[in-house]
Amino acid sequence: MKLKILLIMKNVATDSPETCQPACEAEPATPKFRDAQTQWEDPSHVDHMYCSTTPSVKVDKATQCEAEMGPTVTSTMVIDDARSRLYTGVRMVQFFTLVTVLLPFSKPSITLPVVDQILMTLMKLKLNLILGDIAHRFNVSTSMASIVISHWIDVMGEQFKVLIPWLPRETIRATMPLSFQMNYPQTTCIIDCAESAMQRATNHDSRSDTFSQYKSRNTVKYLVAVAPNGLIMFISDAYAGRSSDKFITMDSGFLDYLRAGDEVMADRGFTIRDLLDERRVSLNIPAFTYRRNQLTNEETTRTRRVANVRIHVERAIQRLKVFKILSQTVPISMAPKLDNILTICAGLVNLKSPLIRVPREV
């Protein structure tokens, strides 16, 4: 099933995508004529000729899904790419492809259409709406909205792992932007830690563990690794904001993906050279003035070059923070789901257009 998701996402068209409606098996019946002088064709047939091959007919994906699944709230909300990005973070065709792939994981006990269940879940992650608002929009009880969202976060968190692949070294080299090829051709990934605000716990020990000196508030912290082309290749579980960058790097399993000869680019705070040396992996970080007054000209130039390309991991994190569940304060009630939420958001970010645009050849 995971491989099926990856293959479907790779084959998704950009301009004229397929819909979730099954292919037609026969041509529509010939429309009947009416006796009214002003109307000669039965509109009931014309309005539902989805299988027509006439290129001028505009197909509404939400209407087609509604024909299959019954009346849905999605048909009135996800009507174009702009609305789809607003509510889900991805384009319309990608959203309906996800619905098709995730359909086998639905709960038979929930009568709400699956397309609405998935939209409800993604709206929670993208807009961080309160449950009462979501329940009102989908005309369900607050408890039902909570059950639906909890179920699909668990399912998506498991199934979306395939959307965060660790690229082979050959693929990384083949898709490397020119800025890396010129100065850092051996770079395998760029890493950085991001933090999201966390609701302050009532337990004093938990409150102390999640307090971040850097942010001066309670946070959760997670490691993000991106390829030189901007694809998120790794995202860790959520750690307490007090955890150091070195501890998260060592404990998250990130080091297991590295091979001898790789090169990792990071910020000054990652004092992990000893961990990488054990695996014969190089570390490229900006120079810093340790017991010195200033950097040399060579160090200044190298630091500027590193900062110029390391910014791409910051841009990837910014895309993650588009999902307001990560940019706003995470409630304590969502803490057990946070690992899956990070996986889902990273997978959806990887479905977006490339982070770094490759210039076209003239």
Side-chain angles (χ1 to χ4, degrees):
M1 182 57 68
K2 292 183 179 180
L3 181 59
K4 181 180 177 182
I5 294 180
L6 187 59
L7 293 177
I8 289 179
M9 293 307 162
K10 286 185 177 179
N11 294 324
V12 169
T14 55
D15 295 324
S16 302
E18 295 292 334
T19 67
C20 60
Q21 180 191 5
C24 336
E25 298 180 355
E27 292 293 328
T30 304
K32 298 179 180 179
F33 294 95
R34 305 182 64 174
D35 295 334
Q37 296 180 357
T38 58
Q39 188 173 7
W40 295 93
E41 196 171 21
D42 188 348
S44 63
H45 291 280
V46 178
D47 291 346
H48 297 80
M49 290 171 60
Y50 300 127
C51 300
S52 174
T53 56
T54 307
S56 59
V57 177
K58 184 176 179 181
V59 179
D60 188 341
K61 305 173 188 62
T63 304
Q64 293 188 15
C65 288
E66 182 177 351
E68 290 184 355
M69 305 177 184
T72 63
V73 176
T74 304
S75 61
T76 62
M77 299 182 66
V78 184
I79 59 177
D80 52 31
D81 277 350
R83 293 284 185 90
S84 182
R85 289 192 183 98
L86 172 65
Y87 295 129
T88 70
V90 295
R91 292 185 298 112
M92 189 174 180
V93 62
Q94 294 168 331
F95 168 71
F96 283 105
T97 303
L98 288 174
V99 173
T100 303
V101 174
L102 295 173
L103 192 60
F105 300 97
S106 61
K107 274 187 174 182
S109 58
I110 301 178
T111 58
L112 189 69
V114 175
V115 64
D116 283 353
Q117 296 180 39
I118 296 176
L119 177 62
M120 178 189 301
T121 305
L122 295 183
M123 285 177 64
K124 175 60 181 176
L125 303 183
K126 179 63 167 59
L127 304 177
N128 198 22
L129 302 175
I130 61 175
L131 285 179
D133 186 8
I134 294 177
H136 175 73
R137 290 172 185 249
F138 289 86
N139 196 27
V140 296
S141 64
T142 303
S143 60
M144 176 59 68
S146 177
I147 293 172
V148 169
I149 292 173
S150 177
H151 167 70
W152 284 110
I153 285 179
D154 290 340
V155 171
M156 294 181 190
E158 181 62 30
Q159 298 301 318
F160 280 24
K161 290 179 181 179
V162 72
L163 299 177
I164 315 173
W166 187 271
L167 299 179
R169 185 181 295 178
E170 297 75 16
T171 305
I172 293 174
R173 301 289 185 269
T175 58
M176 183 172 290
L178 185 61
S179 57
F180 280 91
Q181 294 178 15
M182 295 177 59
N183 299 311
Y184 305 101
Q186 302 302 318
T187 301
T188 302
C189 63
I190 319 165
I191 63 174
D192 198 7
C193 280
E195 294 187 67
S196 296
M198 185 75 180
Q199 182 182 358
R200 190 171 62 173
T202 55
N203 181 277
H204 290 284
D205 292 335
S206 300
R207 185 186 304 180
S208 175
D209 290 340
T210 58
F211 185 80
S212 170
Q213 295 290 343
Y214 179 69
K215 295 289 186 179
S216 298
R217 60 185 177 185
N218 296 87
T219 65
V220 289
K221 198 172 184 180
Y222 41 93
L223 176 70
V224 180
V226 303
N229 63 10
L231 183 79
I232 298 178
M233 298 198 301
F234 177 85
I235 188 166
S236 72
D237 291 340
Y239 288 80
R242 190 178 178 182
S243 304
S244 66
D245 295 345
K246 182 174 183 178
F247 172 77
I248 296 176
T249 304
M250 179 176 56
D251 187 72
S252 62
F254 164 75
L255 298 175
D256 298 335
Y257 290 91
L258 301 176
R259 295 188 302 166
D262 286 345
E263 183 175 294
V264 176
M265 184 175 290
D267 199 6
R268 294 185 180 94
F270 283 83
T271 55
I272 57 174
R273 191 176 298 276
D274 56 333
L275 300 177
L276 298 181
D277 287 343
E278 296 174 359
R279 292 168 171 77
R280 291 182 293 171
V281 175
S282 302
L283 177 64
N284 195 347
I285 60 175
F288 50 90
T289 56
Y290 179 70
R291 296 180 179 178
R292 294 183 298 171
N293 293 329
Q294 62 182 12
L295 301 176
T296 64
N297 292 336
E298 181 181 354
E299 290 175 334
T300 302
T301 302
R302 184 169 64 87
T303 299
R304 188 183 300 113
R305 288 176 178 173
V306 171
N308 187 46
V309 293
R310 203 193 67 83
I311 192 66
H312 296 312
V313 70
E314 301 288 350
R315 296 174 60 202
I317 292 173
Q318 185 179 13
R319 281 190 168 189
L320 280 173
K321 294 295 184 71
V322 167
F323 293 89
K324 292 187 177 180
I325 192 70
L326 298 179
S327 61
Q328 297 179 352
T329 302
V330 180
I332 292 293
S333 59
M334 296 294 290
K337 303 287 185 182
L338 199 50
D339 295 343
N340 286 332
I341 289 174
L342 290 172
T343 301
I344 297 170
C345 294
L348 294 175
V349 166
N350 281 344
L351 292 180
K352 293 176 177 287
S353 57
L355 184 67
I356 304 174
R357 295 183 180 179
V358 180
R360 297 180 179 178
E361 296 182 0
V362 181

